[in-house]
């Protein structure tokens, strides 16, 4: 009987590990579930982030809200409470959200100008840009 495992590796080569007494396979080939569990344990051991309870985050409705969310994400990444990949996803989504805020603001300003122009045309008065001086 051979003292080496009779299984093949993923590359098709012979496994060079010693056999478990009473079998023809090494410890990993003889129990593939154990191999998977050992790999999982190693992966969990290499995770350097604290598992926390899921947070319910309210939808940021202003640029100030986005700033606060991103600030908290920075703090959490530094404290290793948030995976940097998740923080990068938040950053990308925040950029899009901020652009949407700007677009909505521009749309509102255009609507106010159009309403002021229409009102001025109806009353035959010159258009005053003072209608756009307010802010939402």
């Amino acid at each position: 009987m051979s003292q080496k495992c009779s299984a093949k590796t993923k590359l098709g080569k012979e496994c060079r590990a010693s056999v478990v007494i009473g079998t023809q396979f090494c410890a990993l080939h003889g129990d593939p579930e154990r191999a998977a569990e050992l790999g999982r344990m190693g992966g969990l051991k290499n995770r350097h982030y604290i598992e926390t309870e899921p947070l319910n985050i309210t939808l940021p409705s202003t640029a100030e809200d986005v700033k606060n969310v991103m600030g908290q994400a920075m703090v959490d990444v530094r404290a290793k409470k948030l995976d940097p990949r998740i923080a990068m996803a938040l950053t990308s989504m925040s950029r899009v959200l901020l652009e949407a805020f700007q677009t909505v603001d521009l749309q509102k300003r255009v609507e106010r100008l159009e309403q002021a122009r229409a009102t001025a045309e109806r009353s035959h008065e010159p258009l005053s840009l003072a209608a756009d001086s307010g802010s939402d």
Side-chain angles (χ1 to χ4, degrees), residues 81-98:
K81 292 181 180 178
L82 180 64
D83 188 321
R85 291 174 290 190
I86 294 172
M88 286 301 297
L90 284 172
T91 301
S92 297
M93 290 184 285
S94 294
R95 284 189 192 122
V96 173
L97 189 57
L98 289 172

Side-chain angles (χ1 to χ4, degrees), residues 34-48:
R34 180 169 182 249
E37 181 61 30
L38 289 172
R40 199 169 14 262
M41 287 170 44
L44 290 174
K45 184 174 71 174
N46 290 332
R47 186 176 294 163
H48 302 291

Side-chain angles (χ1 to χ4, degrees), residues 80-123:
K80 296 188 178 185
K81 292 181 180 178
L82 180 64
D83 188 321
R85 291 174 290 190
I86 294 172
M88 286 301 297
L90 284 172
T91 301
S92 297
M93 290 184 285
S94 294
R95 284 189 192 122
V96 173
L97 189 57
L98 289 172
E99 289 173 9
F101 289 155
Q102 290 174 344
T103 302
V104 168
D105 183 46
L106 283 174
Q107 286 176 336
K108 288 179 181 180
R109 292 176 69 191
V110 168
E111 288 172 7
R112 284 195 308 265
L113 285 171
E114 288 175 348
Q115 288 173 353
R117 186 178 64 97
T119 302
E121 284 178 357
R122 281 194 300 269
S123 64

Side-chain angles (χ1 to χ4, degrees), residues 9-106:
T9 65
K10 287 182 182 180
L11 297 176
K13 298 179 180 179
E14 292 184 13
C15 178
R16 298 185 315 167
S18 298
V19 298
V20 174
I21 297 174
T23 69
Q24 58 182 350
F25 298 110
C26 65
L28 296 181
H29 284 118
D31 187 4
E33 290 177 12
R34 180 169 182 249
E37 181 61 30
L38 289 172
R40 199 169 14 262
M41 287 170 44
L44 290 174
K45 184 174 71 174
N46 290 332
R47 186 176 294 163
H48 302 291
Y49 299 96
I50 300 168
E51 293 293 330
T52 60
E53 293 294 318
L55 297 175
N56 289 329
I57 300 173
T58 58
L59 176 68
S61 57
T62 65
E64 181 76 17
D65 292 345
V66 173
K67 179 190 75 114
N68 293 337
V69 168
M70 292 310 302
Q72 186 60 50
M74 287 178 174
V75 169
D76 289 348
V77 168
R78 296 271 301 161
K80 296 188 178 185
K81 292 181 180 178
L82 180 64
D83 188 321
R85 291 174 290 190
I86 294 172
M88 286 301 297
L90 284 172
T91 301
S92 297
M93 290 184 285
S94 294
R95 284 189 192 122
V96 173
L97 189 57
L98 289 172
E99 289 173 9
F101 289 155
Q102 290 174 344
T103 302
V104 168
D105 183 46
L106 283 174

